[in-house]
Amino acid sequence: MEKQPITRTVSAMQRYSKEISDGEIEKNMPKIKGWKLHALLTFCAGAGFTLFGYDQGVMSALITANQFEAIFPETVSPPNAPTSNAATLQSLLLAIYEIGCLIGALSNLWIGDKLGRRKTILLGGCIMIIGAILQTTAFSYPHMIVARIITGMGNGLNWLDFACYWATGSQVQWRFPVAFQILIAVAMMVGIPFLPESPRWLVKHGRNAEALAVITALENTDRNDHRVLQTYAGICEAIEAEAEGGSGKEQLSEIFHGGPQQNFRRVCLGVVNQCFQQISGINLITYYATLLFQRLGLNDVNSRIIAACNGTEYFFASLIAIFIIERVGRRRLMLFGAVGQSITMVLLAILGSIDNPATQIVSAVLLFVFNSIFAVGWLGMTWLYPAEIVGLRIRAPANALSTASNWIFNFMVVMVTGPSFANISWRTYIVFAALNAFIVPCVYFYFPETAGRSLEDMDIIFAVAYAENISPVTVSLRKDLPVAGSAEADEVLGLKRKERGREGTIKEEVGKTQ
């Protein structure tokens, strides 16, 4: 009688978890499980992303508030000299916080993996609160510059600004919106202690029982459930592959390695992905929304109303990606975004060259269109894709470098936008139209698809591409790749010999007749 073909997936999964007792798992089991744990994770992530976006958006409207201009007259351009240094100083005030973000991102190269994800987030929250306090108490341009470097966050909520705009006789007009971010930081920090540590970080630091407990809690099931064991085995297998031939300590130099893991290529993809988000021109609108609408002929009040609506519509448009990103995939969304953004910038340039009341109305609508396209295609993409594309062993330094890329190009774009509009006006849109057009072929030919793939799956994709000497993009679109934790995956990742030596006897053949 012929036996049915089998794989080693189940035995491999049990091999990684069989030495961990039920008692150890129960001891390390998070108090919050299932959908409640997912809800708390979502809340903390949402609060963190709100903090990440708040400062940019709040400063967009404050830079033209009368009380802000009274405290920082260096940023006000005289009507008879629109190309004066004031435009540069205003851009510097907005952009300088990216330098603080850059310092924070690069510090993750050394402290992120040492402290763990939770402690690193708490440290960041504390620094943000200090920076927000310093900004709120600023009474001079240098003071505000230093405070914004410390704060280092930004991009989104304007309604608050519009409400405070009416406090024209009080410095509350700009100080309260700046201070409000402290409440968001506190909300995030309150939730962090109730969250478990990342399972991958736990396994990497030898805390396997805790990792298995966290995965079990996330799935809200038994430790022997297939999904739990599959996830846990895949994590352990990836760490084994990445630690092969090394000391187990994360070395910065490893990001320059090639070979089957293709570390350098994967790091470059993450860095370039973050760069592309910024050179698309989104912060041209995010930071300068109120000024852009004023240039389109709107008065102070109406420009703030439209800017607030623009930011709110931007938020709702970003929700679309949540429902389609796994179905459509990363590559298609990035391509859609780049094409749509380029076309919108071309239209803005054409209408800006005509500049009459009718074209001003259409231009205002196009600013909404640009935000919507970006929100769907690129807003969350660059915080997802770089984390998905790199291997676990270099994940902390790779993500730090990709995030640093975001801050560097964010600083560059915000720094040049003010002087650019002051000197070449609508032609600024042509520059960003060309940059978005450049993104399209780069994404099409060089960016592998990561939708539906785990970190361990991506290791397999790059290993197969290296072995077969073909593009990882081609491999990522195939449906015949081995599943992480399977015998085939072991062989691709070079773990077969190591596993045989540890377990002693493993059957090489499957589907063998009895």
Side-chain angles (χ1 to χ4, degrees):
M1 180 180 176
E2 185 172 319
K3 290 185 178 179
Q4 292 296 321
I6 61 171
T7 68
R8 232 175 2 165
T9 303
V10 175
S11 63
M13 293 189 295
Q14 291 174 340
R15 164 170 62 86
Y16 286 112
S17 62
K18 66 183 180 182
E19 295 181 358
I20 302 175
S21 68
D22 291 339
E24 289 180 281
I25 295 178
E26 189 62 34
K27 178 182 177 181
N28 292 286
M29 185 67 68
K31 295 180 180 179
I32 304 175
K33 304 177 184 178
W35 71 268
K36 292 182 179 179
L37 180 55
H38 283 278
L40 183 58
L41 282 166
T42 302
F43 171 78
C44 291
F49 196 77
T50 300
L51 277 173
F52 172 74
Y54 184 82
D55 188 78
Q56 282 180 356
V58 84
M59 293 303 295
S60 169
L62 294 185
I63 56 174
T64 57
N66 65 334
Q67 287 295 317
F68 189 90
E69 291 178 341
I71 299 295
F72 308 108
E74 300 94 334
T75 65
V76 182
S77 296
N80 59 346
T83 61
S84 69
N85 287 335
T88 301
L89 292 176
Q90 184 185 76
S91 293
L92 178 62
L93 184 67
L94 292 174
I96 195 64
Y97 97 103
E98 314 292 352
I99 301 302
C101 294
L102 174 61
I103 295 171
L106 293 178
S107 68
N108 248 343
L109 290 170
W110 295 276
I111 68 172
D113 205 55
K114 180 178 292 186
L115 294 181
R117 311 310 181 231
R118 295 193 307 166
K119 291 180 181 178
T120 301
I121 294 172
L122 286 172
L123 176 62
C126 290
I127 294 173
M128 272 210 67
I129 290 174
I130 293 171
I133 292 173
L134 289 174
Q135 283 192 82
T136 305
T137 58
F139 278 93
S140 68
Y141 186 85
H143 184 164
M144 181 60 97
I145 290 290
V146 172
R148 287 185 57 72
I149 292 176
I150 295 174
T151 306
M153 289 288 167
N155 179 345
L157 303 175
N158 294 331
W159 283 103
L160 187 64
D161 280 354
F162 180 62
C164 291
Y165 168 72
W166 300 101
T168 55
S170 171
Q171 293 178 16
V172 160
Q173 184 189 44
W174 69 269
R175 295 191 189 275
F176 178 74
V178 171
F180 185 77
Q181 60 193 301
I182 295 174
L183 298 179
I184 306 173
V186 170
M188 177 190 70
M189 294 171 68
V190 167
I192 293 297
F194 297 97
L195 292 177
E197 188 53 85
S198 160
R200 291 183 175 90
W201 186 85
L202 290 169
V203 171
K204 190 173 183 180
H205 289 77
R207 295 159 62 175
N208 294 57
E210 292 180 58
L212 191 54
V214 171
I215 297 170
T216 303
L218 284 168
E219 295 290 350
N220 197 25
T221 186
D222 183 78
R223 62 163 290 182
N224 294 313
D225 183 88
H226 184 273
R227 293 171 300 171
V228 173
L229 295 178
Q230 181 75 48
T231 301
Y232 179 70
I235 292 172
C236 293
E237 186 174 86
I239 291 176
E240 281 188 354
E242 290 159 353
E244 189 78 26
S247 63
K249 293 184 178 180
E250 194 169 77
Q251 298 294 330
L252 186 58
S253 62
E254 291 182 25
I255 66 176
F256 299 104
H257 290 181
Q261 295 176 15
Q262 293 288 284
N263 286 349
F264 183 68
R265 180 172 190 154
R266 296 162 79 174
V267 170
C268 286
L269 286 172
V271 169
V272 172
N273 186 256
Q274 289 275 23
C275 164
F276 282 171
Q277 185 199 55
Q278 293 306 312
I279 65 174
S280 70
I282 183 59
N283 283 322
L284 175 154
I285 300 174
T286 302
Y287 273 108
Y288 296 96
T290 304
L291 286 173
L292 289 177
F293 287 119
Q294 287 177 348
R295 286 192 176 102
L296 294 176
L298 296 174
N299 60 35
D300 283 351
V301 174
N302 289 337
S303 65
R304 281 169 168 77
I305 293 175
I306 300 301
C309 292
N310 183 264
T312 304
E313 186 272 340
Y314 183 34
F315 165 74
F316 285 113
S318 70
L319 299 178
I320 297 173
I322 297 175
F323 302 100
I324 66 173
I325 190 168
E326 292 299 332
R327 185 182 302 117
V328 176
R330 281 48 161 170
R331 283 167 48 83
R332 289 179 180 175
L333 282 185
M334 287 190 282
L335 290 170
F336 159 78
V339 171
Q341 290 158 193
S342 182
I343 293 173
T344 306
M345 286 293 184
V346 169
L347 294 175
L348 283 168
I350 294 173
L351 295 172
S353 67
I354 300 173
D355 194 25
N356 59 41
T359 60
Q360 289 174 353
I361 294 173
V362 178
S363 294
V365 173
L366 286 175
L367 291 177
F368 280 78
V369 171
F370 183 93
N371 267 14
S372 300
I373 295 173
F374 177 87
V376 174
W378 283 90
L379 176 59
M381 186 67 67
T382 51
W383 304 107
L384 181 66
Y385 194 85
E388 292 178 330
I389 202 70
V390 298
L392 180 62
R393 183 172 172 82
I394 62 166
R395 195 181 190 194
N399 285 348
L401 288 174
S402 66
T403 305
S405 169
N406 182 283
W407 302 133
I408 291 171
F409 286 96
N410 194 331
F411 173 82
M412 180 195 74
V413 169
V414 178
M415 190 67 217
V416 304
T417 295
S420 178
F421 269 107
N423 288 277
I424 64 174
S425 187
W426 56 267
R427 296 172 183 83
T428 302
Y429 292 122
I430 298 176
V431 176
F432 289 104
L435 289 172
N436 278 288
F438 170 74
I439 292 172
V440 176
C442 294
V443 170
Y444 184 83
F445 289 110
Y446 298 108
F447 282 66
E449 182 58 70
T450 62
R453 307 286 191 182
S454 66
L455 293 179
E456 295 72 35
D457 291 330
M458 296 310 299
D459 288 340
I460 295 170
I461 286 172
F462 280 94
V464 169
Y466 178 81
E468 299 181 6
N469 196 29
I470 58 178
S471 169
V473 174
T474 302
V475 179
S476 71
L477 300 176
R478 282 165 45 176
K479 306 295 184 183
D480 61 343
L481 296 175
V483 178
S486 67
E488 294 83 0
D490 283 358
E491 190 169 357
V492 168
L493 295 173
L495 293 176
K496 191 171 183 180
R497 182 180 301 174
K498 184 174 183 179
E499 181 181 320
R500 182 183 299 141
R502 180 168 58 247
E503 292 193 350
T505 58
I506 293 179
K507 293 182 179 179
E508 299 271 343
E509 300 178 8
V510 296
K512 195 172 182 180
T513 57
Q514 192 171 24

